Amino acid sequence: MNTIKNTMKFLAVLTLTLLMSKCSPSGDTVDPAPAPTPTPPVAVTNEMDFWLTKGNQSAVLQKQTSVLAFGTAYNTYANIEVDDSKVFQTIDGFGYTLTGGSAQVINQLNTQKRQELLKELFGTNDNSIAISYLRISIGASDLNAAPFTYDDLPSGQTDMNLDNFSLAPDKTDLIPMLKEIVAINPNIKIMATPWSPPVWMKDNNGFVGGSLKPEYYAVYAKYFVKYIQTMKAEGIAIDAVTPQNEPLHPGNNPSMLMIALHQADFIKNHLGPAFKTANLSTKIVAYDHNCNKPEYPIAVLNDPGANPYVDGSAFHLYEGDISALSTVHSAFPNKNIYFTEQYTSSTGSFEGDLKWHVKNVIIGSMRNWSKTALEWNLANNASFGPNTPGGCTTCKGALTINSSDSFTRNVGYYIIAHASKFVPAGSVRISSNFSGNLNNVAFKTPSGKKVLIVENDGNTFEIFNIKYNGNWVKTSLEAGSVGTYIW
């Protein structure tokens, strides 16, 4: 009997338990909870392209796959704020000096490799870096195999009518290559500058040093005119000239001393009037030397006779500070500024040169009003040649030509490419603020894109925001890295 009672109690408790499990606290029945359905992730559209070069070369001009999208989620990282309502100078371009030696070694590549390289350098395809500005020498620079001009004569002879003038020394390598480059990029701008006039015009009758004799000022002005006209006949337009490369460095081969007083005299009384008479639109750009002597271009521009003929002044940065460009701009805000030369050394490191050159040559020159940023020689051979006796033996080109089918892209290639590939001629610099070690400069392109170049000059990884129109993108750069951001 007790067993039956116990069984009945157990069944009653079980029934009650089952009933309770089917009821809510209010007594309503509740269906079992359905299995959770996973929420699909919200698709984020990439709104900013990011190209990266690291100092350790683990990435070199490499497009990143990370998705960068604008938002307003608060964080405490530093901001680089880009403001395209504040506009500064218009950009003429980025590039190199195509030395005679550069043309000579590039021409040692086989036909296919050479054509591929020229399209990579000067084209606008996805794999091109779109160089938009070149500097060339009028006659030889120190990175030719030997010094020469376009009117060399036996000692003791002169040629006042320039009857002996000829571009022949450059018709083997330089001029044919320039024609190919112009065919690839018909809008490329070219600046030309002499390292020395014909030696019969100089007071020492030699390629190294000396000064232009006053009695040859007029014929030297005609030499420039004839050069520009003859190059035009070859299909090569010269956008600008400087009267003398590094006029305060007479120790190079070739070279010449030309002090500011003499340059102003030459421009106002000879070169400027000769260009006007010949109806040339080629710009005359003063100085073309280091940032430690801003008083030189200021003296030329202060000359009331020279000033109307001078478009602006050009600078290198082997001495002085890049802020000298702003010093000259402030003195003559209606005159243009050009940065025309800086070499990378055979003894330098990739990381060190990447940081210093992007900081100073690219970002520094642009933030100080320059229309151009040019590195020195485009190419050399494996021995850092050719060069004249006494010319630079440690100048490392953007490219090293190793053999007929092999070349190496050096740090100078990436320094320029981070700007030239993304900032075409006609772009304008726009406002962007500095933030700690994050050196930067911003542009707006003719198509309306914004471009920000950032260099992490510090020793630590940095996370930061790129802020534009009230929204921002969070990104980061390793120490010694360079990023170009496009949106």
Side-chain angles (χ1 to χ4, degrees):
M1 193 67 152
N2 284 340
T3 301
I4 294 170
K5 285 181 179 179
N6 288 340
T7 302
M8 290 178 68
K9 280 182 182 179
F10 172 75
L11 289 171
V13 171
L14 180 62
T15 301
L16 182 63
T17 302
L18 289 169
L19 284 169
M20 288 178 68
S21 71
K22 290 283 186 180
C23 297
S24 69
S26 61
D28 297 328
T29 58
V30 180
D31 290 329
T37 304
T39 305
V42 178
V44 179
T45 303
N46 185 58
E47 296 178 292
M48 180 181 285
D49 288 337
F50 169 30
W51 293 70
L52 174 67
T53 297
K54 296 183 180 182
N56 64 10
Q57 302 181 64
S58 60
V60 286
L61 198 66
Q62 185 182 89
K63 189 175 184 181
Q64 301 303 288
T65 56
S66 53
V67 174
L68 296 178
F70 284 96
T72 55
Y74 175 77
N75 63 55
T76 58
Y77 300 118
N79 292 321
I80 297 175
E81 186 159 4
V82 176
D83 182 356
D84 60 2
S85 70
K86 296 176 182 173
V87 176
F88 303 91
Q89 76 274 23
T90 300
I91 306 308
D92 276 359
F94 300 89
Y96 305 90
T97 297
L98 180 64
T99 60
S102 295
Q104 181 183 332
V105 297
I106 291 171
N107 277 339
Q108 291 167 6
L109 292 169
N110 65 51
T111 302
Q112 181 182 343
K113 201 76 173 174
R114 186 176 164 282
Q115 289 174 346
E116 289 173 358
L117 175 58
L118 292 179
K119 286 176 182 175
E120 176 184 328
L121 294 172
F122 301 100
T124 54
N125 297 331
D126 288 346
N127 67 336
S128 300
I129 64 169
I131 293 166
S132 48
Y133 204 101
L134 283 177
R135 181 171 174 248
I136 60 175
S137 58
I138 301 174
S141 75
D142 60 306
L143 294 190
N144 279 82
F148 63 83
T149 75
Y150 299 130
D151 200 337
D152 292 330
L153 300 171
S155 181
Q157 294 185 23
T158 62
D159 182 16
M160 300 302 283
N161 294 321
L162 301 178
D163 296 326
N164 191 55
F165 182 95
S166 172
L167 296 177
D170 273 327
K171 285 197 169 181
T172 302
D173 292 305
L174 181 70
I175 289 173
M177 185 170 292
L178 284 170
K179 289 180 179 181
E180 289 182 83
I181 291 167
V182 169
I184 295 168
N185 178 6
N187 298 314
I188 195 161
K189 285 187 164 64
I190 299 171
M191 175 183 280
T193 186
W195 267 239
S196 174
V199 299
W200 51 267
M201 299 184 188
K202 298 168 74 174
D203 59 10
N204 71 344
N205 207 42
F207 277 111
V208 178
S211 295
L212 184 65
K213 296 172 80 170
E215 58 263 38
Y216 293 115
Y217 277 23
V219 69
Y220 194 37
K222 289 178 191 173
Y223 179 91
F224 275 85
V225 171
K226 197 153 191 172
Y227 168 75
I228 293 164
Q229 292 173 334
T230 312
M231 289 291 275
K232 185 178 181 181
E234 295 283 348
I236 301 161
I238 303 300
D239 185 70
V241 297
T242 67
Q244 174 61 38
N245 172 68
E246 299 193 340
L248 299 179
H249 174 34
N252 201 2
N253 181 21
S255 62
M256 185 175 75
L257 177 68
M258 181 183 267
I259 64 172
L261 181 68
H262 294 164
Q263 186 164 116
D265 181 12
F266 178 58
I267 291 170
K268 72 179 175 183
N269 292 316
H270 303 282
L271 191 62
F275 277 25
K276 187 175 181 181
T277 299
N279 199 28
L280 297 181
S281 59
T282 302
K283 305 175 184 81
I284 298 171
V285 178
Y287 191 44
D288 209 5
H289 207 171
N290 285 328
C291 288
N292 64 329
K293 298 285 185 184
E295 61 270 22
Y296 186 119
I298 287 173
V300 174
L301 290 166
N302 268 331
D303 188 302
N307 181 290
Y309 293 117
V310 178
D311 173 82
S313 47
F315 295 87
H316 309 172
L317 188 55
Y318 303 114
E319 292 183 81
D321 188 88
I322 197 66
S323 61
L325 280 61
S326 282
T327 301
V328 177
H329 171 79
S330 296
F332 294 94
N334 64 327
K335 298 295 186 180
N336 290 314
I337 299 288
Y338 301 85
F339 190 91
T340 50
E341 183 187 314
Q342 197 71 24
Y343 89 104
T344 48
S345 173
S346 60
T347 60
S349 70
F350 187 99
E351 181 174 16
D353 284 339
L354 180 73
K355 286 177 66 171
W356 191 94
H357 284 250
V358 172
K359 175 183 177 179
N360 289 283
V361 175
I362 304 295
I363 295 170
S365 75
M366 291 289 129
R367 291 191 76 100
N368 286 281
W369 295 97
S370 186
K371 295 173 74 70
T372 61
L374 309 181
E375 286 282 308
W376 176 215
N377 54 316
L378 178 59
N380 53 247
N381 61 28
S383 304
F384 306 103
N387 55 268
T388 62
C392 184
T393 58
T394 59
C395 291
K396 181 166 67 176
L399 305 164
T400 300
I401 309 302
N402 303 309
S403 66
S404 64
D405 61 358
S406 167
F407 65 87
T408 304
R409 298 170 188 85
N410 299 321
V411 65
Y413 176 98
Y414 299 103
I415 291 162
I416 291 298
H418 262 279
S420 62
K421 185 173 177 67
F422 312 104
V423 186
S427 299
V428 291
R429 180 170 71 89
I430 57 177
S431 174
S432 64
N433 65 297
F434 257 53
S435 179
N437 289 315
L438 299 172
N439 295 303
N440 66 84
V441 64
F443 304 91
K444 187 174 183 178
T445 72
S447 66
K449 288 189 175 182
K450 274 68 64 182
V451 180
L452 179 71
I453 302 169
V454 185
E455 178 258 339
N456 181 357
D457 206 49
N459 297 314
T460 57
F461 178 86
E462 294 249 10
I463 303 173
F464 59 97
N465 301 313
I466 298 172
K467 191 172 182 181
Y468 175 72
N469 277 355
N471 297 322
W472 51 88
V473 167
K474 187 177 77 171
T475 185
S476 62
L477 280 177
E478 292 179 18
S481 293
V482 174
T484 299
Y485 300 86
I486 308 102
W487 70 97

